């Protein structure tokens, strides 16, 4: 018998008694043993009295994916019924009218719903974090259907996401394009296999810290998801060469971005990447202790990485001078290289690396302690005319040299230079940098506490093109003289200036900035010795159109600065007033004046 054979024209289901709500005061209620039962019956929601078959018919007529998802959160019973409604069953079946969307006001209306849709008005994104990451919530999201992206970060400690939750996503969200599963130990290969079979449109997959995932799930993804473009496998203890190789081999035509970190793979996986990764443009390899020099060498010599543009290698002992030179030689499209904590990379390969990587534009070296300033000079002497950006971070080998080489390079293509937290780098080396890099636009010297005005001034004066971004965080020995010289020469081009922690900077620098800077948009004066007078000077500068200003930790900035800050240009979007003596009451007043500005206090 159909659940609607007893349907009457007045909208009441036959066999289901209509109930009238009885209003009575507690004083009118007879005190009997059955009173609590009658009270409970009156408070019980009427829909809970419907059989599953009838409630199923009601719920499948709820219009809108978000409304169905919200309905699924009412109770476990509703969730179970909605989870059983397939896409074909959710279509309205005449002659019965659709149930009005009573959730619309609660859900925030059409504008909020539109924010969750893509340009086609169809696909959606959902993120589940921590205790919210359960199978029940995944099922509720699956009921809404048409999801384009699902991200699960962490998992409920008792009711975490399992294969069952992924199975519901796979069953309902066939257009899923991005899946990110992080910190879900209950997810196994079985769940990934269901996703592979149910989501053929998958383009991006991230699996991180999922101890239950091994090789078969990755193989299935490679076989079934022909459009897969990006894969990120991180800290999965049971993934080895079989899983990585199976995935790479199957997705060879579409896979462009690969990140492998904290895995037990060996040289074999890198050999497969080198041979089958013909579409790979972005490759990241991090913390792969079982990969040796041979793996990198074979990967390069397999000649498959012809389209490789960006490569990042972190904490891989197998990356040696020979391996790095081989990668540069056989990857003709390589533009960006990032080397971090690669202890075996030294000056020995930098000259050959520069000669081979003729398309290279950006080199980042971090905590590679065998690299010295002599090696960097050799690199710059032989680098491509396309080379634009160099970054050296926490390299203890970067320090002053006793005597400059016979031939100093002149790298006119270099536009961005970062020398950060290299404690041995002082004035003598900085003066050399100014001589060899005349076209710099972006300079970051953060953490170079030993640099003084004597080293910084030659860099300023030798820069032929205008400096645009200058970060001097922690350069505690720079004075107002250096800042005044900087803005006098480059004030017309300077857009970003950070002086955080420069404890010798005073109001004199602000006076110079107010006079010379016409393009400055961001100014960080955190923990400087500027005062209320300096703030007044900035506020009075009509040509200055600051968007971001930080006065955090400026102990000489007090409540006297409030009127000046309140009169600043309407272009101000962000103001940091943490750790000073302005006071909460004055901050509240300032917020009313600068209603268009985000104030951090």
């Amino acid at each position: 018998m159909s659940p609607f054979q007893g349907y009457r024209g007045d909208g009441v289901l036959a066999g289901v008694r209509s109930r009238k709500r009885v209003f009575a005061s507690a004083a009118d209620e007879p005190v009997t043993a059955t009173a609590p039962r009658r009270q409970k019956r009156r408070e019980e929601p009427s829909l809970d009295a419907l059989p599953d078959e009838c409630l199923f018919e009601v719920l499948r007529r709820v219009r809108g994916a978000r409304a169905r998802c919200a309905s699924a959160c009412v109770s476990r019973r509703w969730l179970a019924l909605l989870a059983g409604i397939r896409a074909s069953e959710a279509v309205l079946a005449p002659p019965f009218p659709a149930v009005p969307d009573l959730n619309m006001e609660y859900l925030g209306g059409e504008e909020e719903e539109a924010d969750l849709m893509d340009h086609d008005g169809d696909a959606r994104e959902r993120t589940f974090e921590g205790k919210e990451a359960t199978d029940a919530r995944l099922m509720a999201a699956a009921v809404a259907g048409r999801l384009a992206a699902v991200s699960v970060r962490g998992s409920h400690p008792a009711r975490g996401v399992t294969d069952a939750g992924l199975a519901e996503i796979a069953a309902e969200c066939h257009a899923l394009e991005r899946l990110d599963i992080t910190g879900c130990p209950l997810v196994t290969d079985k769940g990934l296999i269901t996703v592979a079979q149910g989501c053929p449109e998958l383009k991006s997959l991230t699996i991180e810290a999922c101890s239950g995932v091994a090789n078969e799930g990755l193989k299935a993804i490679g076989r079934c998801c022909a459009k897969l473009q990006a894969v990120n496998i991180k800290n999965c203890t049971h993934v080895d060469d079989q899983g990585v190789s199976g995935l790479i081999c199957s997705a060879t035509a579409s896979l462009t971005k690969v990140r492998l970190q904290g895995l037990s793979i060996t040289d074999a996986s890198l050999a497969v990447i080198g041979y089958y990764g013909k579409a790979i443009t972005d490759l990241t390899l991090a913390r792969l202790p079982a990969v040796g020099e041979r793996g990198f060498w074979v990967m390069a010599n397999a000649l498959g990485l012809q389209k490789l543009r960006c490569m990042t290698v972190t904490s891989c002992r197998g990356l040696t001078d020979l391996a790095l030179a081989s990668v540069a030689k056989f990857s003709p499209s390589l533009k960006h290289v990032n080397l971090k904590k690669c202890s075996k990379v030294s000056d020995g390969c930098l000259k050959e690396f520069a000669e081979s990587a003729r398309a290279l534009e950006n080199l980042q070296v971090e905590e590679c302690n065998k690299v010295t300033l002599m090696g960097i000079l050799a690199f710059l002497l032989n680098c491509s005319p396309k080379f634009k950006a160099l970054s050296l971070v926490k390299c203890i080998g970067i320090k002053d040299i006793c005597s400059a080489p016979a031939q100093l390079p002149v790298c006119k293509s270099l536009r961005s230079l970062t020398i950060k937290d290299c404690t041995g780098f002082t004035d003598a080396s900085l003066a050399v940098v100014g001589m060899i890099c005349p076209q710099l636009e972006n300079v970051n010297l953060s953490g170079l506490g030993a640099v003084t005005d004597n080293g910084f001034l030659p860099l300023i004066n030798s820069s032929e093109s205008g400096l645009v971004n200058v970060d001097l965080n922690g350069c505690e020995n720079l004075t107002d003289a250096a800042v005044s010289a900087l803005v006098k020469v480059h004030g017309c081009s300077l857009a970003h200036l950070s002086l955080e922690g420069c404890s010798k900077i005073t109001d004199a620098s602000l006076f110079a900035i107010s006079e010379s800077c016409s393009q400055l948009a961001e100014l960080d004066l955190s923990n400087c010795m500027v005062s209320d007078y300096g703030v007044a000077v900035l506020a009075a500068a009509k040509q200055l159109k600051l968007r971001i200003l930080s006065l955090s930790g400026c102990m000489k900035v007090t409540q006297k600065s409030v009127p000046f800050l309140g009169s600043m240009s309407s272009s101000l979007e962000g103001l940091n007033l943490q750790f000073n003596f302005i006071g909460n009451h004055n901050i509240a007043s300032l917020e009313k004046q600068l209603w268009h500005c985000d104030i951090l206090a």
Side-chain angles (χ1 to χ4, degrees), residues 142 165-174 176 191 193-200:
L166 290 186
E168 283 297 325
I169 294 292
E172 294 296 333
C173 307
H174 302 298
L176 190 71
I193 291 172
T194 59
V195 169
Q197 295 171 345
C199 305

Side-chain angles (χ1 to χ4, degrees), residues 8-24:
R8 301 207 309 263
D10 58 1
V12 179
L13 291 175
V16 179
R17 293 184 179 180
S18 62
R19 297 185 176 183
K20 294 183 178 180
R21 187 173 181 180
V22 179
F23 295 92

Side-chain angles (χ1 to χ4, degrees), residues 48-311:
D48 282 354
L50 290 176
D52 285 351
E53 294 82 359
C54 295
L55 186 55
F56 179 91
E57 293 296 334
V58 172
L59 292 177
R60 81 185 185 97
R61 284 166 169 75
V62 175
R63 288 183 298 183
R66 286 196 76 197
R68 290 196 300 275
C69 184
S71 300
C73 297
V74 170
S75 68
R76 290 185 177 275
R77 182 189 176 203
W78 286 37
L79 171 61
L81 289 171
L82 280 161
I85 300 175
R86 302 307 174 195
S88 59
E89 295 172 327
V91 179
L92 295 177
F96 309 115
V99 177
D101 189 356
L102 301 180
N103 295 288
M104 185 54 68
E105 182 177 354
Y106 168 75
L107 294 173
E110 295 179 358
E111 292 183 1
E112 183 177 347
E113 186 167 1
D115 291 339
L116 297 177
M117 296 184 179
D118 65 3
H119 299 296
D120 298 328
D122 188 26
R124 300 167 183 269
E125 300 181 3
R126 290 297 305 273
T127 299
F128 307 89
E129 296 185 11
K131 292 183 178 181
E132 294 184 355
T134 64
D135 280 346
R137 289 186 176 271
L138 275 183
M139 291 177 183
V143 167
R146 300 180 305 192
L147 287 174
V150 172
S151 177
V152 182
R153 303 221 170 238
S155 188
H156 192 286
R159 302 187 303 275
V161 171
T162 69
D163 295 337
L166 290 186
E168 283 297 325
I169 294 292
E172 294 296 333
C173 307
H174 302 298
L176 190 71
E177 295 182 358
R178 299 191 301 277
L179 178 63
D180 182 341
I181 307 174
T182 299
C184 297
L186 300 179
V187 171
T188 70
D189 285 340
K190 182 179 178 181
L192 284 185
I193 291 172
T194 59
V195 169
Q197 295 171 345
C199 305
E201 301 296 318
L202 194 67
K203 295 180 180 179
S204 175
L205 174 67
T206 295
I207 306 292
E208 180 178 348
C210 295
S211 56
V213 172
N215 299 318
E216 297 305 317
L218 296 180
K219 291 181 182 179
I221 293 289
R223 289 194 303 268
C224 302
C225 302
K227 297 182 180 180
L228 188 67
Q229 297 175 0
V231 61
N232 181 358
I233 312 298
K234 182 178 178 181
N235 299 335
C236 295
T237 54
H238 293 99
V239 172
D240 57 30
D241 290 329
Q242 292 187 28
V244 172
S245 298
L247 176 65
I248 300 293
C249 291
S250 300
T252 180
S254 61
L255 200 58
T256 60
K257 187 174 181 179
V258 175
R259 176 169 183 167
L260 306 174
Q261 177 173 335
L263 306 179
S264 300
I265 61 174
T266 68
D267 295 346
S269 290
L270 266 64
V272 170
I273 291 172
Y275 186 80
Y276 289 97
K278 300 184 185 301
I280 294 178
T281 60
D282 192 331
L283 177 62
T284 298
L285 305 171
R287 292 196 295 107
L288 305 176
V291 171
E293 179 185 63
R294 181 178 177 83
F296 282 97
W297 186 88
V298 172
M299 181 182 74
N301 283 267
L303 303 180
L305 298 178
Q306 298 297 301
K307 295 184 179 180
L308 184 65
R309 294 165 54 89
C310 305
M311 186 180 75

Side-chain angles (χ1 to χ4, degrees), residues 413-430:
S413 63
L414 194 66
R415 296 292 183 269
S416 298
L417 176 66
T418 295
I419 304 175
K420 182 177 180 181
D421 295 326
C422 297
T423 55
F425 194 88
T426 66
D427 288 343
S429 300
L430 191 58

Side-chain angles (χ1 to χ4, degrees), residues 408-450:
L408 278 176
V410 178
C411 189
K412 292 187 176 182
S413 63
L414 194 66
R415 296 292 183 269
S416 298
L417 176 66
T418 295
I419 304 175
K420 182 177 180 181
D421 295 326
C422 297
T423 55
F425 194 88
T426 66
D427 288 343
S429 300
L430 191 58
V432 172
V433 168
M435 296 169 58
I436 64 179
C437 307
Q439 300 296 324
L440 286 178
E441 296 177 358
N442 308 302
V443 176
N444 187 339
L445 303 177
S446 299
L448 301 187

